[in-house]
Amino acid sequence: MKFTMDHNNINVLDLEKSLAFYKEALKLVETRRKEAADGSFILVFLGDEQTPHKLELTWLRDRKEPYNLGENEFHLAFITDDFASAHALHSKMGCICYENKAMGIYFIADPDGYWLEVIPNRR
């Protein structure tokens, strides 16, 4: 028996704001969308156009309050081929929430407060 990773899911309050953020900050593109017939939810899958792994954004029509992220100890990590340019972009966007210069990494926060790690390509 084998298992293959497919996607990660996060719930978002403002779908359009989140889509704009992920497009600008991480160059993710929409690969698939599913909308409930009754309008109660929208699922949007984003990809990096290089790997099969997807990020699923879930928007729920009736959700109005921010999601409780607890201590926000989970995150997704993204490798970049141009760490300096990525850092400059994220600084300009004002979304860097934590830096560990000794490790050579930093984190950005999306519109809902989810942390995303940015790592230079060390391969």
Side-chain angles (χ1 to χ4, degrees):
M1 180 182 318
K2 287 185 174 182
F3 295 92
T4 303
M5 291 183 63
D6 184 68
H7 69 275
N8 290 83
N9 166 263
I10 61 173
N11 289 18
V12 301
L13 285 179
D14 184 330
L15 183 58
E16 294 310 314
K17 185 175 182 179
S18 292
L19 288 171
F21 172 85
Y22 281 97
K23 180 178 182 179
E24 181 179 1
L26 297 166
K27 311 300 183 234
L28 299 184
V29 298
E30 184 174 330
T31 62
R32 186 165 52 104
R33 180 181 288 240
K34 176 172 177 48
E35 298 186 30
D38 65 0
S40 62
F41 71 85
I42 300 174
L43 309 177
V44 178
F45 292 84
L46 303 176
D48 60 18
E49 297 185 300
Q50 298 175 66
T51 64
H53 196 89
K54 302 293 183 244
L55 175 61
E56 176 188 354
L57 304 181
T58 298
W59 173 82
L60 303 172
R61 177 188 60 207
D62 297 332
R63 181 71 182 216
K64 304 299 181 221
E65 64 279 351
Y67 289 94
N68 179 350
L69 303 183
E71 294 184 22
N72 208 5
E73 285 297 320
F74 58 91
H75 65 273
L76 298 174
F78 292 83
I79 295 172
T80 179
D81 63 347
D82 189 344
F83 190 79
S85 294
H87 191 277
L89 170 65
H90 297 142
S91 292
K92 180 180 172 187
M93 292 176 67
C95 61
I96 296 176
C97 57
Y98 178 76
E99 285 190 73
N100 186 326
K101 292 184 180 187
M103 290 182 69
I105 63 170
Y106 66 92
F107 290 80
I108 60 176
D110 84 349
D112 290 280
Y114 295 100
W115 282 29
L116 309 153
E117 183 177 3
V118 180
I119 305 168
N121 188 350
R122 297 180 178 133
R123 296 178 187 172

